[in-house]
Structure formats: C-alpha cells, structure tokens
C-alpha cells in the first residue's frame, strides 16, 4: 500500500500497518553514522541461541546414529559379560576364569537362540538392563533402515566451444534470419537481452548459429539429437570421471529436458553410449521447465533411499528444435 500524503505535504504511514509490524534488530548494526567508527563484518554479532536454533538436530542425530548404534552394541555386550561373571561367581563360589566365562557366554547365546525358535519363556536369561539396551538397539536399527542419507559425489557443467558463442547483436541477427519475427518483436528481444544478464559470449547450438554463415537453420530431429549427444555425453563423461564411478555402477538415471523428448529417449541414448547395465532405472522428465532440475534431484534422492546405490542426474535444455 503506498504511503498517503497528509495535509502538510509529507508522507504518513498507515496507522494499522505501523501498529502490527514489529521491528527486530541484532546486537549491533552494520550501518554506522557519519561521525562514528567504520564497522566491519567482525562487528556484526549474532546470538548463539539464534545459531543453535538454525541447526537441524534431527539430521545431526541421524548422522551420528550409526556411531551410537555401535557404541550401544558394545554396552550390551559388556552388560551380558558382567551378568555372566556375576552368575558364575555366585554359583562356583570363587572368581571365574576366562575359559569359564567363554563357555558360559556360549551356553547363554545357545539358550537365547533356542528360545527364539521355540518361543519358550520359562527362565530369565538376560537382566532387565540388558533387555532395555537390546530394545533401544532394535529401535535404532529400524531408524537406520528408514533413513538412508544421500550424498553428492561430484557434478559437472557443460562448457560450449568457441564456435557456439555469439554476441547479443548476433542473436538478434539470427532471430531476424528466421523470417518469423516483426521489427517490434526484435526490438523487444533486444531490450530483454540487455536486461537478461547474459554476456556477449552466450552459447547457441550450431544448428542455429550456422544461419549467420548463410546456411539454413537446422531444426530437425537429427540436429536436435546431435546437440543432445554433444552436450549430454560431455557432462556425463566428466561427472563419472570426477566421481571415479564406472557406468555400470549407476543404478538410477534421471534426465530432464523440457522441450525435447524424442523416441528412443535421452536415457536410452546415454545407456547405449556408456554401456550401462540393462536393469538401470531410467526416468525421462519433460515439459516441466526450469523446475525440473530440482524435481530430478528429488526423484533421485527418493529412489536412493529405497534402493541403495548410485544415481546420475542430467539437467539440460535442447534449443535446436525451438
């Protein structure tokens, strides 16, 4: 809502808005007065309570849960040994030696195994503390199976050759040679390019760039597939090499390309080129725009949490047919 002008010519903020908005500030400000000392980022302090509140403690717990599980197994074993030593000492009347302890442990585990088979509960084999520890370990094991963390091994980006790079004026000239756009549309494109943030070496596929040499623009399926092969094969090879992963180790392959979805698919093209396994799970996503990159990563993460292994995600856009 714009500020309303009062009778004196000044601007007055709405009273309702001023009463509902609450101003928050940190312990110090980066903005200093003209006559005050110059502040740096070292003067900007954040309360430790605020930093602690930003931590995802559930994630921290899951990260250290395997270590806690191993420690718990050690505690359970120590409780069982302590119970066996006490039982032997009370039964034989003197301190048990190592041989007696090992035999007693073997008998105890055999009885536990027989009980699990016959479901008999005639005698108590474990102490209450050992039973509680075992139950906690079982719960922790179930949690470990439910949450499988997924990590990024490597990533690669495509670097276009110099022959693909064109300036803004060359882009406008390419659009003009399509004999499709009016002068008004071309002027609008020129204004967009100025504000687009793209530089004077923006890469365009050779099927379109070749029109600057007097050749006809190639918008065919063959030309689009050539662009896809050039771009996708390059980044897949780089990513596998950086991660030190063999193509046959890939269990999930996800490729998203919004505007070009051929048959055979882009996934089939990659599987055939790099000799991946025939049982690799492949997913081709199209028609989703730029958001498909995040969707692809989310899909790969969900698949890896259900099927442990390695996933390869390729996010691209093929411009030749469009």
């Amino acid at each position: 809502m714009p500020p309303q002008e009062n009778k004196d010519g000044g601007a007055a903020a709405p009273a309702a808005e001023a009463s509902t908005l609450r101003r928050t500030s940190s312990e110090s400000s980066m903005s200093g007065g003209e006559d005050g000392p110059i502040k740096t980022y070292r003067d900007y302090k954040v309360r430790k309570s605020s930093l602690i509140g930003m931590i995802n403690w559930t994630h921290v717990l899951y990260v250290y849960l395997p270590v806690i599980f191993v420690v718990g197994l050690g505690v359970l074993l120590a409780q069982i040994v302590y119970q066996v030593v006490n039982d032997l000492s009370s039964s034989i009347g003197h301190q048990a030696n190592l041989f007696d302890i090992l035999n007693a442990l073997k008998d105890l585990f055999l009885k536990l195994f027989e009980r699990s088979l016959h479901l008999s509960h005639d005698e108590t084999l474990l102490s209450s503390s050992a039973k509680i520890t075992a139950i906690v370990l079982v719960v922790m094991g179930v949690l470990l199976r439910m949450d499988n963390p997924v990590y990024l091994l490597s990533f690669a980006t495509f670097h276009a050759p110099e022959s693909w790079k064109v300036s803004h004026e060359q882009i406008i000239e390419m659009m003009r040679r399509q004999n499709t756009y009016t002068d008004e549309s071309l002027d609008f494109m020129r204004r967009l390019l100025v504000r687009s943030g793209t530089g004077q070496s923006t890469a365009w596929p050779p099927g379109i760039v070749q029109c600057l040499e007097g050749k006809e623009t190639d918008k065919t399926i063959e030309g689009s597939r050539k662009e896809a092969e050039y771009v996708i094969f390059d980044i897949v090879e780089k990513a596998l090499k950086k991660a030190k992963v063999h193509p046959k180790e890939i269990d999930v392959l996800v490729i998203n390309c919004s505007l070009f979805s051929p048959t055979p698919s882009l996934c089939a093209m990659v599987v055939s080129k790099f000799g991946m396994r025939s049982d690799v799970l492949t997913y081709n996503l199209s028609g989703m725009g730029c958001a498909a990159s995040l969707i692809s990563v989310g899909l790969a993460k969900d698949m890896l949490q259900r099927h442990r292994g390695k996933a390869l995600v390729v996010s691209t856009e093929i411009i030749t047919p469009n």
Side-chain angles (χ1 to χ4, degrees):
M1 179 177 178
Q4 298 178 357
E5 189 172 339
N6 56 22
K7 296 180 180 180
D8 298 331
E17 186 177 355
S19 62
T20 57
L21 292 179
R22 187 164 55 90
R23 187 180 182 86
T24 59
S25 60
S26 59
E27 294 181 359
S28 62
S29 175
M30 289 289 291
S31 59
E34 295 180 358
D35 54 348
I38 300 176
K39 293 183 178 293
T40 65
Y41 72 95
R42 297 182 186 278
D43 298 321
Y44 188 79
K45 299 178 181 179
V46 181
R47 295 184 181 89
K48 291 183 178 180
S49 59
S50 301
L51 295 177
I52 294 175
M54 296 172 60
I55 299 176
N56 187 349
W57 292 106
T58 303
H59 176 72
V60 173
L61 176 63
Y62 275 117
V63 168
Y64 290 99
L65 198 59
V67 179
I68 299 174
F69 183 78
V70 174
V71 173
L73 287 177
V75 172
L76 177 61
L77 182 60
Q79 289 175 334
I80 295 175
V81 172
Y82 179 77
Q83 174 187 337
V84 169
V85 171
N86 285 340
D87 292 344
L88 283 176
S89 299
S90 60
S91 61
I92 63 179
H94 59 83
Q95 188 174 3
N97 55 33
L98 180 61
F99 183 75
D100 294 334
I101 295 175
L102 291 178
N103 283 334
L105 286 174
K106 182 185 69 173
D107 295 338
L108 177 61
F109 284 117
L110 287 177
K111 289 180 181 179
L112 287 174
F113 180 72
E114 292 175 357
R115 169 175 288 187
S116 63
L117 292 179
H118 302 290
L119 300 178
S120 61
H121 302 279
D122 298 333
E123 59 177 324
T124 302
L125 298 179
L126 295 178
S127 62
S128 299
S129 60
K131 290 180 180 179
I132 294 174
T133 304
I135 293 174
V136 172
L137 290 176
V138 170
V139 174
M140 292 174 62
V142 173
L143 293 177
L144 284 173
R145 293 291 299 175
M146 291 175 56
D147 183 82
N148 298 323
V150 179
Y151 300 98
L152 174 66
L153 295 179
S154 70
F155 72 95
T157 56
F158 175 70
H159 298 280
E162 291 296 327
S163 59
W164 288 32
K165 298 178 181 179
V166 292
S167 64
H168 288 178
E169 288 302 322
Q170 288 176 314
I171 294 175
I172 297 299
E173 181 61 26
M174 288 190 301
M175 297 301 104
R176 179 181 290 108
R177 297 193 180 192
Q178 305 306 312
N179 298 323
T180 304
Y181 305 105
T182 63
D183 292 338
E184 183 180 357
S185 298
L186 293 174
D187 291 337
F188 179 70
M189 291 182 191
R190 184 177 286 105
R191 292 195 301 271
L192 285 180
L193 283 174
V194 172
R195 297 167 175 81
S196 64
T198 58
Q200 298 298 326
S201 297
T202 303
W204 282 68
I208 300 178
V209 175
Q210 67 183 15
C211 71
L212 294 175
E213 303 173 357
K215 300 178 182 179
E216 185 179 355
T217 302
D218 184 9
K219 299 181 181 179
T220 62
I221 295 295
E222 291 78 9
S224 304
R225 189 173 287 274
K226 286 181 180 179
E227 180 191 352
E229 291 176 351
Y230 195 100
V231 174
I232 295 177
F233 290 170
D234 178 75
I235 56 178
V236 168
E237 184 176 359
K238 287 180 181 178
L240 294 177
K241 185 177 180 180
K242 289 174 64 176
K244 298 180 180 179
V245 174
H246 193 272
K248 290 189 179 296
E249 298 180 42
I250 299 298
D251 302 286
V252 180
L253 174 63
V254 183
I255 299 181
N256 69 273
C257 180
S258 181
L259 300 176
F260 183 60
S261 182
T263 303
S265 65
L266 297 177
C267 282
M269 180 180 71
V270 173
V271 170
S272 175
K273 169 67 177 179
F274 292 92
M276 296 181 179
R277 302 195 318 267
S278 58
D279 62 341
V280 61
L281 301 177
T282 59
Y283 298 90
N284 291 273
L285 304 183
S286 62
M288 297 183 180
C290 299
S293 298
L294 298 177
I295 296 174
S296 300
V297 173
L299 174 61
K301 176 178 177 291
D302 292 340
M303 294 302 300
L304 290 179
Q305 287 185 332
R306 290 163 176 79
H307 309 279
R308 293 189 177 184
K310 295 182 177 65
L312 175 63
V313 178
V314 180
S315 181
T316 185
E317 193 56 81
I318 305 303
I319 307 176
T320 298
N322 302 282

